[in-house]
Amino acid sequence: MNVDVAVAGNGVLGLSIAVELVRRSPGLRVVVVGPASRPGAATVAAGAMLNCFAEVTDGVDRHPASRAKFALARAALDAWPDWLEGLYDGGTGPRPALVSPGTFVVLGARATPTATRNFDAVHVALKEYAEPHQWVEAADVPGLRPVPHERPVRALYLEREGAVDARAVLDALEHTGRRLGVAFLDGQADRLCGTNGKVTGVRLADGTELAAGAVVVAAGAASQPLLDQSLPDRTPPLLHGTGFAVQTVRHASPGFDRVIRTPTRSGACGMHLVPLGGGAEYIGATNIVQFDPPPGPRIGVTQSLLRFATDQFDTRLGMSAIQRWHYASRPVSLDRFPLLGPADTEGLFVATGTYRDGFHSSPVIARHLADMILNPGTAPELLAPFAPVRAPIETMTIEASIDLFVSDAVETATEYGMRLPYFLDTDPVAAHARTQAHQALERLARPIALDPEIMAALPDASGARVERLDAYLNAAHASHQVPSTAALSTTSC
């Protein structure tokens, strides 16, 4: 089978890129490869919050790459209304819409210093960019009924943010793609094919081969094996940001009619609840980054998620009925920044490593990837920091990263219920965390500054994973950028 573009990955990024390509270039032969059941796919499990400003942290101005990532999220916030309207497909297909327009960001009375700083950063960003918002009293947040000691002390309402149904968006993207001529193959992209340093197609696990003028690797956390074949030791390694959520149906009304969430917390995304309509609610989120994902969510994480939601949002959630669990892996790169754009191997494009921002940013990522595929040499400034072939982006010093790991560990222990007698402080916990951080970094041949959740994953990484990580770091260190001389390890299609 010969096509113009083969997209490896059928999550929101892969489908969005395919749809954007055929819209812009009718008649272009595009095929999307991915298992129809999407096992472990982040999109299927997503709460699908369209949150940009609500995700802001006090590190948003820490580094040019951090500012670029925020700019990408702002562009996506502006793009979503027209993107959703376009997916309506002329009235012939499923119509995804905002299931929850508007987001409340609440700061609880027991919020940690990190959550408080991040809440303040949200407000600063809202004012700086004149984003529509308003202060609200906790008593005026519909449905909010926390335990007394968790009652919010401050709350913001973000008018343009909210949530969509991720499953409905996937259905609409696939329907639109089929109508416009995109082909779909139910299977797993197993290997990139190429010759003379150029990627020329993909091979599926069942042996099916596709010859393609361009290949887009957009398989989420499953992208690493494909990148290893064509770009060994040249892209920031991908880890699994495992997330767990629960979908419930109300027994005790009225429930929530808007997204409600906390600011981003220590070592995790913000706690949030997304109303899905008809009494159904999506409760998340958890965030455990690992080199290899476990077979399922941890009992302790599950227990804490439900307790936090009940205590901080609504005690009546304890009477809700569980409809289903959501568990999947987000693709998170070593430096937590996405891998977007052309690789330095001809014919290869990458769209992964988006961590918690892939769904929200998908309309803009799709637009820019389509630009680069259809117009070779195009280099959108917005994506410049996120070139797939790069050295790790370090936004702080190694010592600062250790200090951040320590403070996050203390705050997380407090959030999870640690209580000390009046004659003790948190110094022993901090000292233990500092030892853990040093031991983790000692596993690396060349220690680098890592965000807390990445550093926490290192102790459990296998020896083989650490060796691959060291190979990448050594190559990056050799010339302050990843070399482009590695051979293309592929077979011909």
Side-chain angles (χ1 to χ4, degrees):
M1 182 177 183
N2 294 296
V3 297
D4 296 307
V5 182
V7 180
N10 62 347
V12 69
L13 282 183
L15 292 180
S16 298
I17 292 167
V19 166
E20 185 71 8
L21 283 169
V22 292
R23 275 181 176 165
R24 300 260 290 275
S25 182
L28 195 73
R29 296 168 301 168
V30 178
V31 63
V32 173
V33 179
S37 60
R38 298 185 174 93
T43 307
V44 176
M49 290 188 297
L50 303 184
N51 280 181
C52 165
F53 287 89
E55 284 283 322
V56 167
T57 71
D58 65 343
V60 70
D61 286 325
R62 184 185 295 163
H63 189 276
S66 303
R67 293 191 288 273
K69 188 176 178 183
F70 179 52
L72 177 62
R74 285 193 292 114
L77 184 63
D78 294 335
W80 265 102
D82 287 343
W83 184 247
L84 283 174
E85 187 63 30
L87 292 183
Y88 184 34
D89 200 17
T92 64
R95 182 169 194 166
L98 281 172
V99 296
S100 176
T103 293
F104 289 101
V105 183
V106 297
L107 183 70
R110 299 179 66 192
T112 63
T114 293
T116 302
R117 289 194 303 271
N118 290 341
F119 184 92
D120 291 338
V122 169
H123 186 227
V124 168
L126 290 167
K127 291 191 298 181
E128 180 178 353
Y129 293 96
E131 177 66 20
H133 70 283
Q134 54 188 284
W135 287 101
V136 294
E137 296 293 333
D140 295 331
V141 178
L144 183 64
R145 188 179 174 181
V147 295
H149 59 275
E150 293 280 11
R151 184 165 294 278
V153 293
R154 286 189 283 169
L156 285 164
Y157 180 63
L158 282 57
E159 298 176 14
R160 293 204 304 151
E161 305 201 0
V164 296
D165 186 332
R167 278 59 61 184
V169 170
L170 283 179
D171 289 344
L173 281 166
E174 188 166 333
H175 182 276
T176 300
R178 290 185 188 279
R179 185 181 68 83
L180 295 175
V182 175
F184 291 84
L185 288 181
D186 180 6
Q188 184 71 45
D190 181 64
R191 191 170 187 84
L192 297 180
C193 306
T195 182
N196 298 324
K198 178 181 179 180
V199 171
T200 58
V202 294
R203 189 179 69 189
L204 277 63
D206 65 4
T208 301
E209 294 183 345
L210 296 173
V215 174
V216 181
V217 175
S223 299
Q224 188 68 63
L226 296 175
L227 296 179
D228 284 343
Q229 295 163 24
S230 60
L231 303 168
D233 308 328
R234 296 162 63 201
T235 61
L238 291 174
L239 287 75
H240 297 261
T242 56
F244 165 75
V246 59
Q247 187 171 317
T248 63
V249 63
R250 276 278 170 174
H251 175 75
S253 297
F256 294 94
D257 63 356
R258 299 287 188 275
V259 171
I260 183 167
R261 59 164 294 163
T262 68
T264 300
R265 303 167 297 160
S266 301
C269 40
M271 181 76 196
H272 57 264
L273 183 149
V274 178
L276 301 177
E281 294 171 323
Y282 174 104
I283 302 170
T286 62
N287 179 53
I288 306 294
V289 176
Q290 296 182 287
F291 280 81
D292 294 293
R298 297 171 180 172
I299 290 176
V301 171
T302 304
Q303 178 190 36
S304 298
L305 171 70
L306 299 177
R307 175 169 62 86
F308 288 159
T310 303
D311 288 355
Q312 297 177 25
F313 292 158
D314 187 0
T315 57
R316 294 164 295 188
L317 286 171
M319 292 181 283
S320 292
I322 294 175
Q323 290 184 315
R324 61 180 300 186
W325 308 100
H326 295 283
Y327 183 69
S329 291
R330 309 176 184 98
V332 50
S333 69
L334 181 71
D335 56 20
R336 292 208 326 171
F337 290 101
L339 313 180
L340 302 172
D344 58 1
T345 298
E346 186 179 352
L348 179 61
F349 297 81
V350 182
T352 188
T354 48
Y355 203 1
R356 300 197 307 265
D357 305 315
F359 191 97
H360 173 81
S361 299
S362 56
V364 177
I365 292 174
R367 183 174 74 235
H368 286 307
L369 262 292
D371 282 341
M372 291 184 281
I373 293 168
L374 297 174
N375 304 293
T378 301
E381 184 178 353
L382 186 62
L383 302 190
F386 313 129
V389 176
R390 66 170 189 257
I393 299 170
E394 296 184 75
T395 64
M396 66 189 103
T397 65
I398 292 176
E399 277 307 314
S401 73
I402 293 173
D403 290 342
L404 185 57
F405 179 85
V406 171
S407 63
D408 267 23
V410 172
E411 291 188 16
T412 300
T414 303
E415 285 181 327
Y416 275 73
M418 180 182 71
R419 297 182 62 185
L420 297 172
Y422 69 91
F423 52 83
L424 290 179
D425 57 28
T426 59
D427 285 353
V429 178
H432 176 68
R434 190 170 296 278
T435 298
Q436 284 184 312
H438 282 287
Q439 290 176 342
L441 292 178
E442 285 169 0
R443 296 198 69 190
L444 301 179
R446 296 184 182 277
I448 63 168
L450 297 172
D451 282 276
E453 58 265 54
I454 309 298
M455 195 179 297
L458 266 175
D460 293 329
S462 68
R465 293 288 188 187
V466 174
E467 286 179 9
R468 295 300 297 272
L469 177 52
D470 280 341
Y472 163 72
L473 294 175
N474 286 332
H477 178 78
S479 61
H480 300 289
Q481 66 178 21
V482 184
S484 60
T485 56
L488 180 68
S489 176
T490 55
T491 57
S492 298
C493 282

